[in-house]
Amino acid sequence: PTRRSSDLRRLGAEGTMSKYLPSLVDGVLGKLFHGMHTLGLGYGMTGDKDMVAQGLAWMSTAFSPPAPLAASPTATNLTQVFADMHQDERLPVYPGDPTMFYGVYLGDLIANHSATLAEYDLRVEDDMELEAALALAQHMSDAVMKQFAAYNFSHFTNVHYSGSVFAMKQLLRFADGKSRAVLLRECGRPSSTTSASRAEIGRAHV
């Protein structure tokens, strides 16, 4: 984080995030959003400027776009997305404990089901204003909490997805319109943690 620490002294916390976030937002899934957790929760919630350099460094080293976002997405309601995915016979229902084999399941989804998952990408306008972005983030949070409850209040779901949406919400005020849109889409896209709606929840749990 040395370079970003230097930028932090020169540009301040908000200036540093504005400089680096646009190039990092499409890879936030890397290491299950933990870099974004560090940035969104570490700085967004506490104002600790040291967490900015750490969070951006983690987002950089963990940068990993799972698959291209859909060119013309149509979905607007994440709760409906979960319901539709749950009924989609093209998507697998994995055996075993998803908290143990999540990486294996996610790798298979990206390698073999990206085209199907892209059909569920959220439609978010590139010029979305902050107020609208915050409202959409709240909608996503509500949808994810329903998922959390559906899977017997899984700690894995809570930490890695509920927490990710919350952390993302803290970053929206530091991003421009296009970066906000990508943050929202990457945190809502089924090909990230939401792709586990069938892996984690499975038909029997919904």
Side-chain angles (χ1 to χ4, degrees):
T2 303
R3 179 179 176 184
R4 291 174 182 82
S5 297
S6 176
D7 285 333
L8 191 59
R9 290 190 294 272
R10 182 169 55 89
L11 302 174
E14 294 187 20
T16 302
M17 284 190 285
S18 295
K19 177 179 178 179
Y20 288 106
L21 274 178
S23 63
L24 295 173
V25 288
D26 58 347
V28 293
L29 173 62
K31 301 298 182 183
L32 290 180
F33 295 111
H34 284 164
M36 188 175 67
H37 282 193
T38 302
L39 189 57
L41 302 180
Y43 177 75
M45 291 296 294
T46 70
D48 184 347
K49 294 181 180 179
D50 289 339
M51 300 304 290
V52 173
Q54 293 184 40
L56 288 172
W58 198 344
M59 289 176 72
S60 297
T61 57
F63 184 86
S64 180
L69 289 165
S72 301
T74 59
T76 57
N77 185 305
L78 191 56
T79 298
Q80 187 61 50
V81 164
F82 287 148
D84 292 343
M85 288 180 68
H86 180 65
Q87 300 297 327
D88 194 333
E89 298 289 342
R90 297 171 298 173
L91 296 175
V93 177
Y94 295 106
D97 183 352
T99 65
M100 295 291 293
F101 301 108
Y102 180 85
V104 176
Y105 299 160
L106 181 60
D108 177 68
L109 287 164
I110 292 171
N112 299 308
H113 304 281
S114 288
T116 299
L117 293 168
E119 297 175 17
Y120 296 103
D121 280 356
L122 292 178
R123 188 183 74 217
V124 184
E125 301 301 326
D126 283 347
D127 58 352
M128 177 173 279
E129 297 292 337
L130 177 58
E131 185 176 350
L134 291 171
L136 179 55
Q138 185 59 53
H139 158 73
M140 292 168 59
S141 180
D142 293 343
V144 171
M145 289 308 294
K146 293 176 183 177
Q147 184 190 33
F148 174 50
Y151 192 55
N152 300 322
F153 301 95
S154 161
H155 177 69
F156 183 88
T157 303
N158 186 37
V159 170
H160 293 99
Y161 197 42
S162 303
S164 298
V165 173
F166 186 81
M168 175 271 295
K169 188 176 180 180
Q170 310 310 308
L171 299 182
L172 292 174
R173 59 195 169 105
F174 304 117
D176 58 23
K178 185 174 182 179
S179 297
R180 285 183 199 130
V182 175
L183 273 172
L184 288 159
R185 292 185 67 191
E186 289 290 355
C187 285
R189 69 185 311 192
S191 49
S192 63
T193 310
T194 54
S195 63
S197 62
R198 285 174 67 85
E200 281 192 2
I201 297 174
R203 295 177 188 168
H205 291 92
V206 174

